[in-house]
Amino acid sequence: RENFIHLCNPHLEKMQEDILYHFALGTGTHDFPALFGDVKFVCVGGSPSRMKAFIAYIAEELGLGSPGCDYPNICAGTDRYAMYKVGPVLSVSHGMGIPSIAIMLHELIKLLYHAKCSNVTIFRIGTSGGIGLDPGSVVITRESVDATFKPQFEQVVLGKTVIRSTNLDEQLTKELMQCSIEIGQFHTVIGNTMCTLDFYEGQGRLDGAICLYSEEEKLQYLKEAYDSGVRNIEMESSVFAAMCNLSGVKAAVVCVTLLDRLEGDQISTSHDVLVEYQKRPQKLVGYFIKKSLGKV
């Protein structure tokens, strides 16, 4: 059954041209169905270089590219985001934090709609701080929760607070967990992900420029988070889940943990080890894509 992108905006039908400003793309200047109509999998992550590395990795895994092959940035006309494509896979950077990923998602969802894409699955792959997990563990998000552990995303629209659901596709989560078992290379758990508005105070760190709470208060808060089901903390999952839900897109969040926040706040792991950790979400999602395409 074909599942097309749903746009929650009737005003778009009245527009003769839709300019995706932050992508440097537009329906009047680009043939979206020709460029993107075959997309079935979209992977988004914070760093442009990481998303370029992912497209090179998945190209090789799918047998669609050769080692050392360069992939042009489709959004080269802007320095806001980077976008790469190979076969049915699109790889897009989203920057850091809810505002940055939200802007990108508005334009990405419209891109998929204008391209008449169907049965699309979107993954956020990235890094996070773990709670009660060894560094290098991978967390597949059951649901994204806010800093008070509620599974919701709050946004002020026209001066009024709108609350949206942050549940993620349960079946997709289970399938990703099965893929990790089949890979058998790293520890993976399913848990809630806390999405915050800040990296320092918002996540209870003691090492920011401002900190007006004690270490005991910090640890109590993180233990309460753990007891509520939270296993990692990042800054994009809530709006990602909410916008994908509203657009009828199957979505998942897969993040590796770089440290256990119950043990400290600063990331002191060596660069080489961190690079290996950051590849783990790529490997898991890449394996899922290969399996979905019958290439495993």
Side-chain angles (χ1 to χ4, degrees), residues 181-257:
I181 293 170
E182 292 173 16
I183 294 172
Q185 295 181 11
F186 40 79
H187 181 231
T188 303
V189 301
I190 295 174
N192 293 345
T193 295
M194 183 164 72
C195 183
T196 66
L197 302 177
D198 167 55
F199 185 81
Y200 286 97
E201 287 183 285
Q203 295 187 10
R205 276 183 162 83
L206 302 175
D207 59 342
I210 300 169
C211 180
L212 303 176
Y213 44 83
S214 68
E215 183 175 5
E216 290 74 20
E217 288 172 317
K218 165 211 162 175
L219 289 173
Q220 181 181 351
Y221 175 68
L222 293 181
K223 287 173 182 176
E224 288 174 0
Y226 183 90
D227 290 342
S228 75
V230 173
R231 293 296 176 268
N232 65 331
I233 311 172
E234 46 84 92
M235 296 189 294
E236 293 87 18
S237 61
S238 62
V239 71
F240 173 81
M243 292 183 69
C244 288
N245 280 336
L246 285 170
S247 304
V249 183
K250 190 184 293 187
V253 177
V254 181
C255 290
V256 68
T257 61

Side-chain angles (χ1 to χ4, degrees), residues 39-241:
V39 169
K40 297 296 180 185
F41 305 97
V42 182
C43 296
V44 303
S47 161
S49 61
R50 199 181 303 156
M51 301 322 294
K52 185 172 185 178
F54 175 77
I55 208 68
Y57 170 76
I58 198 65
E60 190 169 351
E61 288 291 298
L62 297 179
L64 298 175
S66 55
C69 181
D70 189 37
Y71 298 91
N73 177 11
I74 297 170
C75 298
T78 176
D79 59 0
R80 295 295 183 185
Y81 304 105
M83 179 186 296
Y84 306 94
K85 182 182 182 299
V86 63
V89 182
L90 196 64
S91 179
V92 192
S93 70
H94 59 58
M96 187 182 294
I98 287 173
S100 184
I101 191 174
I103 294 168
M104 187 281 292
L105 285 171
H106 274 284
E107 299 188 13
L108 172 64
I109 290 166
K110 291 198 297 177
L111 179 153
L112 297 171
Y113 174 81
H114 292 312
K116 297 179 172 57
C117 295
S118 65
N119 302 330
V120 177
T121 304
I122 303 182
F123 304 91
R124 170 170 139 64
I125 56 176
T127 58
S128 63
I131 303 182
L133 295 174
D134 290 334
S137 299
V138 172
V139 179
I140 305 169
T141 304
R142 177 182 290 110
E143 59 184 5
S144 176
V145 301
D146 63 16
T148 64
F149 319 140
K150 295 177 182 176
Q152 63 184 35
F153 171 65
E154 287 190 16
Q155 179 154 347
V156 177
V157 180
L158 301 182
K160 299 177 182 178
T161 299
V162 176
I163 296 177
R164 291 170 176 163
S165 168
T166 54
N167 291 331
L168 289 156
D169 190 276
E170 184 177 356
Q171 182 59 35
L172 178 57
T173 298
K174 291 178 180 177
E175 290 174 7
L176 284 164
M177 188 66 193
Q178 179 58 37
C179 286
S180 182
I181 293 170
E182 292 173 16
I183 294 172
Q185 295 181 11
F186 40 79
H187 181 231
T188 303
V189 301
I190 295 174
N192 293 345
T193 295
M194 183 164 72
C195 183
T196 66
L197 302 177
D198 167 55
F199 185 81
Y200 286 97
E201 287 183 285
Q203 295 187 10
R205 276 183 162 83
L206 302 175
D207 59 342
I210 300 169
C211 180
L212 303 176
Y213 44 83
S214 68
E215 183 175 5
E216 290 74 20
E217 288 172 317
K218 165 211 162 175
L219 289 173
Q220 181 181 351
Y221 175 68
L222 293 181
K223 287 173 182 176
E224 288 174 0
Y226 183 90
D227 290 342
S228 75
V230 173
R231 293 296 176 268
N232 65 331
I233 311 172
E234 46 84 92
M235 296 189 294
E236 293 87 18
S237 61
S238 62
V239 71
F240 173 81

